[in-house]
Amino acid sequence: MTIGKLLFKIIDNIENVICRTLLASFVILLFIQIVSRQVFNYSISWSEELSTYMFVWFVYFGASYATKLAAHNRVTFQFKFFPPVVAVISEAIADLIWVCFNGYFVFLSYDFVFNKMNLFWKSQTLGFPMKYVYMILPIAFALMTLRILQVNYYKLVKGIDIRDPESLEVEKLIESSDQQNKSS
């Protein structure tokens, strides 16, 4: 296994565990809050804030995962009128613009979180620094950039088109391509 494959496998596992843990945690937390309100007539003040922050982190990690599956919404109807080569080049240019945007946003969000954000900005009920909530921005956009590059590598270099994650089992497709490359 190459270093790149190992790195992406580690990132996949980390994303997977974080997404599952966040989803399960904020759903359980909200369920406890609802039961507490309805049955015991008691509201847990910090649970809504924490579940909101967990949901935000879940959404950003989910966006990275959607990027890996090439499942982000994009307008592709016009590509049907282009020759296949022009469509591939147009999508690659659009992804390059996306990478540039993400890179700039990583820079801006990193600068905001680590240089401009006041350490005394605290969450309302939990009281921890908001810096920890906003740290998801540079992390998620860096992960999305990595995933865009990964998808384009598979598409442009390996010849694997990962466009419809519902009809293709992406992982099996990638693994079978890797096995074919090893055997040839």
Side-chain angles (χ1 to χ4, degrees):
M1 182 178 279
T2 66
I3 293 174
K5 284 183 192 176
L6 181 64
L7 176 68
F8 281 120
K9 191 169 185 106
I10 291 170
I11 292 172
D12 287 347
N13 289 336
I14 290 171
E15 273 180 345
N16 193 350
V17 168
I18 288 174
C19 279
R20 289 174 187 230
T21 303
L22 286 171
L23 178 63
S25 298
F26 79 76
V27 167
I28 289 169
L29 197 57
L30 287 174
F31 177 75
I32 291 170
Q33 171 71 347
I34 290 168
V35 169
S36 173
R37 262 193 215 156
Q38 297 300 320
V39 176
F40 302 111
N41 203 23
Y42 176 75
S43 178
I44 307 168
S45 61
W46 54 266
S47 67
E48 289 180 38
E49 185 177 31
L50 181 59
S51 60
T52 301
Y53 297 150
M54 293 167 84
F55 180 72
V56 168
W57 273 64
F58 171 74
V59 166
Y60 278 108
F61 273 108
S64 172
Y65 187 72
T67 305
K68 172 193 171 201
L69 298 176
H72 275 284
N73 290 336
R74 61 170 60 197
V75 179
T76 58
F77 179 75
Q78 72 278 11
F79 295 140
K80 293 180 182 181
F81 300 112
F82 293 157
V85 172
V86 175
V88 168
I89 291 170
S90 298
E91 285 182 16
I93 291 170
D95 284 346
L96 180 63
I97 293 168
W98 190 9
V99 165
C100 292
F101 170 80
N102 284 355
Y104 186 60
F105 197 83
V106 167
F107 170 75
L108 290 177
S109 60
Y110 180 87
D111 184 46
F112 173 71
V113 170
F114 293 105
N115 297 329
K116 294 189 171 112
M117 193 167 209
N118 188 333
L119 276 175
F120 300 106
W121 292 350
K122 306 273 185 190
S123 67
Q124 289 290 324
T125 56
L126 293 170
F128 64 79
M130 290 301 291
K131 178 179 283 203
Y132 299 122
V133 174
Y134 285 97
M135 276 177 41
I136 189 59
L137 294 173
I139 293 169
F141 279 87
L143 280 174
M144 278 191 273
T145 302
L146 238 144
R147 295 308 192 170
I148 295 166
L149 296 173
Q150 180 186 20
V151 166
N152 277 289
Y153 170 75
Y154 283 124
K155 184 171 41 175
L156 300 172
V157 175
K158 294 249 186 176
I160 301 171
D161 191 10
I162 307 173
R163 266 197 217 152
D164 190 3
E166 293 174 354
S167 65
L168 299 174
E169 295 178 21
V170 176
E171 293 295 329
K172 289 181 183 176
L173 186 62
I174 292 169
E175 287 175 11
S176 68
S177 172
D178 291 340
Q179 288 174 356
Q180 287 175 356
N181 288 340
K182 285 181 184 176
S183 64
S184 21

